[in-house]
Amino acid sequence: MDSQRTILVIALLVLSFLMFQQWQHKGGNTPGIDPTTAPQVAEPAANNDVPQATGDIPVASNNNDSPTTETTAIEGDTITVSTDVLRVEISLRGGDLIKSELLQHAETLGEEARYTILYQRPGNLHIAQSGLIGPDGVDSADSRPVYSAQQRSYEMNGDTLEVPLVYQQEDGTEVTKTYTFVRSDYAINVDYRVANNSDRAKTMSMYGQLKQTMLDGGRDSMFMPTYRGAAYSAESNRYKKYSFSDIQDNALSNNTPAGWVAMLEHYFVTAWVPDQEATNRLYTNNNALGEGMIGFIGPAHTVAPGETLELSSSLYMGPKNQARLKELAEHLNLTVDYGFLWWLAQPIYWLLSLLQSIVINWGLAIILVTVIIKSLLYPLTKAQYVSMAKMRKIAPKMKEMRERLGDDRQKMSAAMMKMYKEEKVNPLGGCLPMLLQLPIFLALYWVLLESPEIRHADFMLWINDLSSRDPYFILPLLMGGSMWLMQRLQPTPVTDPMQQKILQFMPIIFTVFFLFFPAGLVLYWLVSNLISITQMTWIYRQIEKQDEKKSKVKAR
């Protein structure tokens, strides 16, 4: 196999990988609901109540909930909370988070609007719900408690901010639901304090769930497929995607120590992390409004009369920050999904992050990573080009041999192997370095696709977002030109007319592919090609000088 054929094989492998990825994404990760015919969520009423349907609120074991008595909420039925990284809205009915803006992340590059990870809009919602269920829980499918708050808006001034919501039952039992926000953190503590002021023991469980309209966002392409849907971690599966179609077809019910549930989207994640010391039930559900839910139910707790029960969980809603996610729960960092090449993508991400912390530019970090990778592969690259140079030297003999032996493949194969042995040529010497670049390329592709730090990361000049395609297609065109130049420098001719035509079009085909790739990935491939051209030219010149010296020695 010569190097040009290897290029063709790599191109086919890359294309096959992208096609398989898109097929898997469309076939297994989205429900295929048409937005024009999907069930529509009712527009929020004036009191901002979240539309409910039977089955929205999970049912704990032996749940004999009865409707609760609702109290009067303050005007507007919502409160707002602002920190340095979050601006959220909390509905007093149920105390649910119905809106969350990420203040450090723009919705679109260069615009004022912030990225909204939780929202409640006509026909589309994504909210975080939690409550107390069980024989004496205050939440049920028929009724949600309406909490009261001391003020309508809260703003963080110190390092932490507590937002208590209070609900008083007729029998005197007081439920306090407290959201605790921490400066510069996307994780929120959600704590329940139940003061049982009644004359009987009460049993209840805490639950938390994420509810989202099951519509295909339609933002991805063949070259940048992204997953939008649920995921969970349990004792039996450290990380498992559970798509909207899975939710529709087969309800999840998994009892596990610790665990977590999440809703994933491109670069961002929302996750409930229950008590990691308890055994929790993870579940999914869906309703007639086209909404899918994934959540957890904690163990049942009994609080005696005059006693107090405290329950706690965490809610994360923000970018896929691997270090922070790993701190919150085991395997939660796997929501940054690098695919089957995670073992290679992780060190590449680590190296990229290290270099970026030094040069303070993700584009320069990508260039430095490329230089390091090419330097590590240089011994193999040198062997590749030496092998290619030897193949060039015997090319005339091979051409004469083909003309002499014609279509006799058996004799041709035996004669070629004999020539390789006599000339000390390894026909596979040019394959390994190029094949090694394929997993590196795919691993870096996933790093750029999944790492939120690279979203909207500026490089220089016209490249102001390394995670998106080049707006003027300059980098892909330069990459195509560099590939064409490399092809011209390839010393081994291909005699098959069909292969010749295909190889002639390879720079054009690759350029078309790379028009839609993230600019950071195109930058890597372009720099890699330029380094290869430099190495190729240098090695060929050294070989020519050695041949000239040998010729002079023989002439003497």
Side-chain angles (χ1 to χ4, degrees):
M1 181 187 293
D2 58 60
S3 61
Q4 294 194 16
R5 287 177 180 174
T6 307
I7 293 176
L8 180 58
V9 171
I10 290 177
L12 293 174
L13 287 174
V14 171
L15 182 59
S16 300
F17 169 76
L18 294 171
M19 292 179 68
F20 168 77
Q21 194 171 240
Q22 184 70 0
W23 169 81
Q24 189 180 47
H25 175 65
K26 290 298 182 185
N29 291 338
T30 56
I33 299 176
D34 186 350
T36 61
T37 60
Q40 297 296 301
V41 179
E43 187 166 352
N47 65 354
N48 290 318
D49 188 16
V50 181
Q52 298 293 330
T54 301
D56 278 10
I57 304 304
V59 178
S61 300
N62 302 319
N63 189 345
N64 297 312
D65 287 340
S66 58
T68 57
T69 304
E70 298 183 354
T71 60
T72 303
I74 58 176
E75 183 181 358
D77 264 343
T78 63
I79 61 173
T80 60
V81 182
S82 299
T83 73
D84 58 328
V85 294
L86 294 169
R87 181 164 52 240
V88 305
E89 290 186 12
I90 302 173
S91 172
L92 292 178
R93 184 175 297 277
D96 299 331
L97 276 163
I98 60 174
K99 185 176 182 180
S100 179
E101 294 179 277
L102 309 183
L103 302 182
Q104 304 290 331
H105 297 269
E107 184 78 33
T108 305
L109 183 64
E111 293 188 359
E112 291 286 337
R114 300 293 89 188
Y115 191 88
T116 305
I117 193 169
L118 296 182
Y119 46 84
Q120 183 177 247
R121 307 163 184 149
N124 195 7
L125 63 75
H126 179 200
I127 61 176
Q129 298 179 303
S130 58
L132 299 173
I133 56 176
D136 302 292
V138 295
D139 294 83
S140 71
D142 300 318
S143 178
R144 302 292 306 283
V146 178
Y147 291 90
S148 61
Q150 296 176 352
Q151 54 196 70
R152 293 183 57 183
S153 64
Y154 294 79
E155 187 168 349
M156 176 175 285
N157 294 316
D159 292 332
T160 62
L161 173 62
E162 291 188 354
V163 179
L165 308 177
V166 180
Y167 173 65
Q168 190 81 30
Q169 289 186 295
E170 288 185 342
D171 62 6
T173 299
E174 184 176 88
V175 178
T176 304
K177 181 177 186 177
T178 303
Y179 286 99
T180 303
F181 299 81
V182 178
R183 182 171 294 277
S184 302
D185 198 353
Y186 293 95
I188 304 170
N189 288 334
V190 183
D191 303 308
Y192 277 92
R193 183 179 184 275
V194 181
N196 186 1
N197 299 322
S198 70
D199 57 0
R200 65 180 182 87
K202 293 193 172 186
T203 301
M204 61 193 71
S205 303
M206 181 179 179
Y207 85 93
Q209 71 177 12
L210 301 168
K211 181 162 68 171
Q212 186 172 160
T213 304
M214 298 186 293
L215 297 178
D216 185 356
R219 294 183 178 181
D220 60 305
S221 66
M222 173 181 176
F223 303 100
M224 290 190 68
T226 56
Y227 176 72
R228 177 180 177 270
Y232 71 93
S233 177
E235 190 175 32
S236 57
N237 289 290
R238 63 176 191 169
Y239 170 64
K240 176 71 174 178
K241 290 180 179 177
Y242 212 78
S243 68
F244 289 140
S245 59
D246 291 331
I247 292 175
Q248 290 177 309
D249 297 338
N250 186 26
L252 171 70
S253 181
N254 190 323
N255 290 315
T256 180
W260 50 260
V261 295
M263 284 289 188
L264 309 182
E265 52 196 274
H266 196 192
Y267 294 123
F268 301 98
V269 58
T270 308
W272 274 111
V273 180
D275 184 355
Q276 296 296 284
E277 301 298 323
T279 296
N280 303 288
R281 180 165 74 87
L282 312 183
Y283 68 90
T284 62
N285 199 358
N286 67 95
N287 60 29
L289 298 175
E291 298 162 352
M293 288 147 275
I294 185 167
F296 77 89
I297 300 175
H301 295 272
T302 300
V303 54
E307 300 293 330
T308 299
L309 172 67
E310 293 185 355
L311 303 173
S312 181
S313 64
S314 295
L315 174 66
Y316 183 91
M317 43 187 184
K320 295 177 181 177
N321 184 313
Q322 296 185 55
R324 184 66 181 109
L325 293 173
K326 192 173 184 179
E327 290 175 354
L328 284 174
E330 190 176 13
H331 308 315
L332 187 55
N333 60 309
L334 296 181
T335 54
V336 183
D337 190 354
Y338 291 143
F340 68 95
L341 288 173
W342 60 267
W343 52 272
L344 183 57
Q346 285 285 1
I348 289 177
Y349 170 78
W350 175 85
L351 182 58
L352 261 177
S353 300
L354 176 64
L355 294 172
Q356 193 276 337
S357 67
I358 298 172
V359 299
I360 319 298
N361 186 297
W362 284 102
L364 293 178
I366 291 172
I367 292 175
L368 291 176
V369 165
T370 310
V371 173
I372 291 173
I373 291 173
K374 296 296 290 185
S375 299
L376 293 175
L377 293 178
Y378 180 74
L380 293 174
T381 302
K382 184 177 180 180
Q384 170 193 2
Y385 294 145
V386 169
S387 175
M388 289 164 61
K390 290 180 179 179
M391 291 289 289
R392 177 173 57 182
K393 289 176 64 176
I394 66 173
K397 295 181 181 180
M398 292 181 64
K399 184 178 180 181
E400 185 274 331
M401 189 186 301
R402 287 191 179 95
E403 293 174 351
R404 176 163 50 86
L405 297 177
D407 296 330
D408 193 333
R409 294 186 177 182
Q410 186 173 358
K411 289 184 178 180
M412 181 66 185
S413 177
M416 287 178 62
M417 294 304 296
K418 182 180 179 181
M419 181 181 295
Y420 289 151
K421 187 175 182 180
E422 292 175 350
E423 298 291 339
K424 298 180 179 180
V425 174
N426 180 6
L428 300 178
C431 301
L432 186 57
M434 301 189 74
L435 290 176
L436 284 176
Q437 288 191 61
L438 178 59
I440 294 173
F441 170 82
L442 295 178
L444 184 61
Y445 166 81
W446 279 113
V447 168
L448 295 176
L449 194 67
E450 282 288 303
S451 302
E453 297 90 343
I454 301 174
R455 181 180 185 262
H456 296 172
D458 186 28
F459 175 39
M460 61 176 62
L461 301 176
W462 70 96
I463 304 297
N464 55 11
D465 185 0
L466 288 166
S467 66
S468 300
R469 63 176 178 81
D470 184 338
Y472 303 111
F473 305 115
I474 296 175
L475 283 181
L477 292 175
L478 291 175
M479 189 283 305
S482 67
M483 191 173 179
W484 175 83
L485 181 58
M486 283 183 64
Q487 195 177 79
R488 293 295 300 269
L489 293 174
Q490 298 293 325
T492 306
V494 177
T495 57
D496 182 71
M498 179 61 69
Q499 287 190 31
Q500 285 181 342
K501 290 181 180 180
I502 294 176
L503 288 169
Q504 287 174 358
F505 282 100
M506 284 309 299
I508 299 175
I509 296 172
F510 260 62
T511 300
V512 173
F513 286 170
F514 276 71
L515 290 176
F516 306 97
F517 279 172
L521 193 65
V522 183
L523 178 65
Y524 163 78
W525 201 259
L526 171 60
V527 174
S528 179
N529 283 353
L530 295 177
I531 295 174
S532 295
I533 292 170
T534 303
Q535 291 176 338
M536 189 185 303
T537 304
W538 168 260
I539 293 171
Y540 287 166
R541 285 180 180 176
Q542 297 303 309
I543 293 174
E544 289 174 358
K545 288 180 180 179
Q546 291 176 3
D547 291 341
E548 289 177 1
K549 289 181 179 179
K550 291 179 181 178
S551 299
K552 289 180 181 179
V553 171
K554 288 181 180 180
R556 293 177 183 174

